[in-house]
Structures are given as C-alpha cells and as structure tokens.
Amino acid sequence: MGRVLRWHSDRMDDFAGTQAPLRRLTDPTEAIAALELAVPGMVSLRRASPAVVDWPVLEAGLGIALPVDYKLLCELYPPFVIGGFLGVGTPEPGGETGWVQATREELETIAEWCEEANLVVPLHPFPTPGGLLSWAASPQGDFFLWSTHPTDPQEWTVTVASRSSAWWHYTGGVVQFMAEYAAGVLEPWALPQVRPEAEAW
C-alpha cells in the first residue's frame, strides 16, 4: 500500500492526527482490487452480478452525491464486516429510502459527538459544508465518517470518531482506507488492529 505519513498533536485525548496514503487511489476499480488483496476473503462475498442500486433516488433523499468508490463497493458487495469489527451497511436495491433514513438518524448522534468533542478545529455533521456523514460503524460504537466536500464527492476523505473520544483523519477514500486498515498499513489510533478477513453482515 505504501508509506503512511503521520502527525500527532499534543491533544491525544481529542485529536490523534492525520494519516495519508502514499498515493490516493482515485480509480474505484483499483481501490476495490487493493481491498480484495488486503482482505482475500472479500472475493467470496462478491455478488454474482452487480446490484442495481437506484443512486438517483438515494442521493436525492440524502441531498448529495456519493463517491464512486463507495458506489462500486455497494454494487459488488452486500453488507459486510471486516475483522469482526468494521461493519459496512451497504444499501440494497429497493432499500434506498430506508438506508437514507438510517443515515439521517445517525447524524443526530454525530452532532452530539461533535458538540461533546473538545477539538481545536470543531467538526460538524452534514449538511454543514464539509460536514461529517457516516459510512460504517463498529459494534462497540466507533464511527467511520466521510468528511464531505461541498462540490466534488471524489475529494471526500475519512474521519474516525472512536468511542474513546479520539478523532483522526485519513486523506484517502473509504475503500482505500479499509484496505490499508486491514493490511496493517495504518496506525489504528484508538481502534483495534483488525484481522484481514471478511464476512457477510
């Protein structure tokens, strides 16, 4: 996956820092290949044929377009869990409205976390410009979030909000994040290191 740049602040109780991939994978197919390489069991979970998710309906309900790497992931895979920890609840065909509703409900929790966090640079939930939007969670209550970009979803990055109140950023997309997390390339910062295995959720 490459070298990871790290920076630690002196406020480790709140903000652990930012990690960056050596090269951001902008091609969604390349990002999926990196995830399948890092988590070999992913291949066995692939759908027989890509799901036909009604993205226009889903994105209209959400009020914003989603990154292409995530949309390809959802089309190729059903909901899954990596290492028994990182759970990705992908939208299913016909369930787009329910997925939007659940995502919007999570924004209330994210708003509470943002208010309680003692961060030097305050964070806010979507739909604030650049606001946070959930894409995965752990059974222990950790949130994996997008830091949205107001005009280009391909510029979205990852923010981790752990149940231990540590926050940190990763300047790549969600699929590349999962690949590097599972491969042990990332410093997990307040998260457990996960096993490179996947199972259907």
Side-chain angles (χ1 to χ4, degrees):
M1 302 295 168
R3 176 178 57 89
V4 176
L5 306 177
R6 300 186 177 97
W7 171 78
H8 288 268
S9 84
D10 56 3
R11 296 172 60 90
M12 288 299 292
D13 57 324
D14 296 320
F15 183 67
T18 298
Q19 301 187 53
L22 179 62
R23 178 177 68 89
R24 179 165 180 161
L25 303 180
T26 56
D27 180 341
T29 302
E30 185 180 6
I32 293 289
L35 178 59
E36 292 176 341
L37 180 64
V39 187
M42 287 292 296
V43 175
S44 67
L45 301 181
R46 261 197 187 237
R47 301 178 191 269
S49 58
V52 182
V53 179
D54 193 335
W55 295 113
V57 166
L58 187 150
E59 292 172 331
L62 202 56
I64 197 166
L66 296 175
V68 293
D69 65 329
Y70 177 77
K71 291 200 280 190
L72 180 59
L73 180 78
C74 295
E75 290 167 359
L76 295 179
Y77 290 99
F80 62 89
V81 180
I82 291 179
F85 179 75
L86 195 162
V88 182
T90 60
E92 294 289 293
E96 293 87 355
T97 301
W99 186 90
V100 169
Q101 182 178 352
T103 300
R104 286 192 171 278
E105 289 172 357
E106 286 181 339
L107 289 173
E108 297 177 10
T109 302
I110 294 167
E112 293 173 1
W113 281 38
C114 288
E115 289 177 6
E116 294 171 359
N118 184 26
L119 303 177
V120 174
V121 179
L123 297 174
H124 304 281
F126 178 81
T128 300
L132 303 174
L133 190 63
S134 175
W135 58 271
S138 79
Q140 288 75 28
D142 308 274
F143 275 108
F144 298 88
L145 310 161
W146 278 296
S147 287
T148 61
H149 187 282
T151 58
D152 187 357
Q154 310 328 316
E155 294 296 321
W156 292 12
T157 56
V158 174
T159 294
V160 176
S162 78
R163 65 188 184 282
S164 62
S165 300
W167 295 70
W168 53 281
H169 302 306
Y170 172 78
T171 59
V174 299
V175 178
Q176 187 173 8
F177 171 86
M178 288 187 284
E180 296 198 342
Y181 182 26
V185 174
L186 292 179
E187 181 67 38
W189 287 347
L191 301 177
Q193 184 58 61
V194 294
R195 301 179 305 278
E197 30 185 71
E199 58 185 348
W201 186 354

mmCIF file of all heavy atoms in Angstrom, residues 14 21 30 32 78 80 90 100 117 129 151-152 158 163-164 175:
data_model
loop_
_atom_site.group_PDB
_atom_site.id
_atom_site.type_symbol
_atom_site.label_atom_id
_atom_site.label_comp_id
_atom_site.label_asym_id
_atom_site.label_seq_id
_atom_site.Cartn_x
_atom_site.Cartn_y
_atom_site.Cartn_z
ATOM 1 N N ASP A 14 -8.188 14.043 22.238
ATOM 2 C CA ASP A 14 -9.230 14.518 21.347
ATOM 3 C C ASP A 14 -8.905 14.262 19.881
ATOM 4 O O ASP A 14 -9.710 13.704 19.157
ATOM 5 C CB ASP A 14 -9.449 16.026 21.541
ATOM 6 C CG ASP A 14 -9.964 16.345 22.935
ATOM 7 O OD1 ASP A 14 -10.802 15.590 23.442
ATOM 8 O OD2 ASP A 14 -9.499 17.341 23.499
ATOM 9 N N PRO A 21 -2.333 8.297 2.574
ATOM 10 C CA PRO A 21 -1.735 7.244 1.743
ATOM 11 C C PRO A 21 -0.588 7.827 0.934
ATOM 12 O O PRO A 21 -0.538 9.037 0.677
ATOM 13 C CB PRO A 21 -2.892 6.820 0.834
ATOM 14 C CG PRO A 21 -3.752 8.042 0.727
ATOM 15 C CD PRO A 21 -3.657 8.725 2.064
ATOM 16 N N GLU A 30 -9.360 0.129 -9.045
ATOM 17 C CA GLU A 30 -8.059 -0.086 -8.401
ATOM 18 C C GLU A 30 -8.217 -0.141 -6.886
ATOM 19 O O GLU A 30 -7.561 -0.952 -6.208
ATOM 20 C CB GLU A 30 -7.098 1.037 -8.794
ATOM 21 C CG GLU A 30 -5.679 0.833 -8.277
ATOM 22 C CD GLU A 30 -4.732 1.949 -8.682
ATOM 23 O OE1 GLU A 30 -5.186 2.959 -9.267
ATOM 24 O OE2 GLU A 30 -3.521 1.806 -8.406
ATOM 25 N N ILE A 32 -10.918 -1.129 -5.214
ATOM 26 C CA ILE A 32 -11.534 -2.420 -4.893
ATOM 27 C C ILE A 32 -10.500 -3.533 -4.953
ATOM 28 O O ILE A 32 -10.463 -4.428 -4.090
ATOM 29 C CB ILE A 32 -12.702 -2.724 -5.863
ATOM 30 C CG1 ILE A 32 -13.863 -1.743 -5.660
ATOM 31 C CG2 ILE A 32 -13.171 -4.173 -5.713
ATOM 32 C CD1 ILE A 32 -14.638 -1.917 -4.380
ATOM 33 N N PRO A 78 -22.617 -7.208 -0.769
ATOM 34 C CA PRO A 78 -23.694 -6.988 0.198
ATOM 35 C C PRO A 78 -23.082 -6.396 1.470
ATOM 36 O O PRO A 78 -21.845 -6.293 1.572
ATOM 37 C CB PRO A 78 -24.231 -8.399 0.441
ATOM 38 C CG PRO A 78 -23.023 -9.275 0.268
ATOM 39 C CD PRO A 78 -22.233 -8.635 -0.851
ATOM 40 N N PHE A 80 -21.232 -6.053 4.847
ATOM 41 C CA PHE A 80 -20.177 -6.949 5.321
ATOM 42 C C PHE A 80 -19.468 -6.357 6.530
ATOM 43 O O PHE A 80 -19.613 -5.165 6.849
ATOM 44 C CB PHE A 80 -19.165 -7.231 4.203
ATOM 45 C CG PHE A 80 -18.437 -6.007 3.710
ATOM 46 C CD1 PHE A 80 -17.247 -5.589 4.294
ATOM 47 C CD2 PHE A 80 -18.939 -5.272 2.642
ATOM 48 C CE1 PHE A 80 -16.580 -4.457 3.841
ATOM 49 C CE2 PHE A 80 -18.282 -4.145 2.172
ATOM 50 C CZ PHE A 80 -17.092 -3.733 2.772
ATOM 51 N N THR A 90 -24.111 -1.547 3.389
ATOM 52 C CA THR A 90 -24.360 -1.028 2.043
ATOM 53 C C THR A 90 -25.851 -1.026 1.721
ATOM 54 O O THR A 90 -26.586 -1.914 2.153
ATOM 55 C CB THR A 90 -23.611 -1.863 0.995
ATOM 56 O OG1 THR A 90 -24.066 -3.219 1.074
ATOM 57 C CG2 THR A 90 -22.113 -1.833 1.226
ATOM 58 N N VAL A 100 -31.284 5.815 3.506
ATOM 59 C CA VAL A 100 -31.201 7.263 3.703
ATOM 60 C C VAL A 100 -31.729 7.644 5.079
ATOM 61 O O VAL A 100 -31.109 8.434 5.806
ATOM 62 C CB VAL A 100 -31.973 8.016 2.600
ATOM 63 C CG1 VAL A 100 -32.124 9.494 2.956
ATOM 64 C CG2 VAL A 100 -31.263 7.873 1.263
ATOM 65 N N ALA A 117 -17.058 16.799 21.659
ATOM 66 C CA ALA A 117 -15.618 16.701 21.406
ATOM 67 C C ALA A 117 -14.945 18.038 21.674
ATOM 68 O O ALA A 117 -15.450 19.091 21.292
ATOM 69 C CB ALA A 117 -15.377 16.277 19.963
ATOM 70 N N PRO A 129 -21.487 22.521 5.222
ATOM 71 C CA PRO A 129 -20.446 22.342 4.191
ATOM 72 C C PRO A 129 -19.197 21.694 4.783
ATOM 73 O O PRO A 129 -18.676 22.135 5.805
ATOM 74 C CB PRO A 129 -20.169 23.780 3.724
ATOM 75 C CG PRO A 129 -21.465 24.494 3.950
ATOM 76 C CD PRO A 129 -22.028 23.900 5.222
ATOM 77 N N THR A 151 -18.525 20.255 -3.303
ATOM 78 C CA THR A 151 -18.778 20.193 -4.749
ATOM 79 C C THR A 151 -18.322 18.901 -5.412
ATOM 80 O O THR A 151 -18.860 18.514 -6.444
ATOM 81 C CB THR A 151 -18.093 21.368 -5.468
ATOM 82 O OG1 THR A 151 -16.675 21.331 -5.211
ATOM 83 C CG2 THR A 151 -18.656 22.701 -4.975
ATOM 84 N N ASP A 152 -17.336 18.199 -4.851
ATOM 85 C CA ASP A 152 -16.779 17.027 -5.526
ATOM 86 C C ASP A 152 -16.701 15.839 -4.577
ATOM 87 O O ASP A 152 -15.820 15.796 -3.707
ATOM 88 C CB ASP A 152 -15.386 17.346 -6.080
ATOM 89 C CG ASP A 152 -14.815 16.222 -6.929
ATOM 90 O OD1 ASP A 152 -15.473 15.164 -7.038
ATOM 91 O OD2 ASP A 152 -13.711 16.383 -7.469
ATOM 92 N N VAL A 158 -11.736 10.530 4.976
ATOM 93 C CA VAL A 158 -12.264 9.733 6.088
ATOM 94 C C VAL A 158 -11.944 10.404 7.412
ATOM 95 O O VAL A 158 -10.828 10.899 7.610
ATOM 96 C CB VAL A 158 -11.673 8.311 6.063
ATOM 97 C CG1 VAL A 158 -12.097 7.521 7.306
ATOM 98 C CG2 VAL A 158 -12.090 7.574 4.791
ATOM 99 N N ARG A 163 -15.009 5.462 20.128
ATOM 100 C CA ARG A 163 -15.809 5.533 21.344
ATOM 101 C C ARG A 163 -14.987 6.057 22.517
ATOM 102 O O ARG A 163 -15.535 6.475 23.535
ATOM 103 C CB ARG A 163 -16.376 4.152 21.671
ATOM 104 C CG ARG A 163 -15.309 3.114 22.022
ATOM 105 C CD ARG A 163 -15.920 1.730 22.147
ATOM 106 N NE ARG A 163 -14.947 0.737 22.570
ATOM 107 C CZ ARG A 163 -14.035 0.192 21.767
ATOM 108 N NH1 ARG A 163 -13.970 0.563 20.503
ATOM 109 N NH2 ARG A 163 -13.187 -0.716 22.222
ATOM 110 N N SER A 164 -13.637 6.028 22.400
ATOM 111 C CA SER A 164 -12.767 6.553 23.457
ATOM 112 C C SER A 164 -12.535 8.051 23.311
ATOM 113 O O SER A 164 -11.690 8.623 23.987
ATOM 114 C CB SER A 164 -11.421 5.825 23.440
ATOM 115 O OG SER A 164 -10.759 6.045 22.203
ATOM 116 N N VAL A 175 -12.721 3.025 0.509
ATOM 117 C CA VAL A 175 -12.284 1.687 0.115
ATOM 118 C C VAL A 175 -10.785 1.531 0.358
ATOM 119 O O VAL A 175 -10.321 0.511 0.884
ATOM 120 C CB VAL A 175 -12.643 1.400 -1.358
ATOM 121 C CG1 VAL A 175 -12.128 0.027 -1.771
ATOM 122 C CG2 VAL A 175 -14.161 1.468 -1.556
#
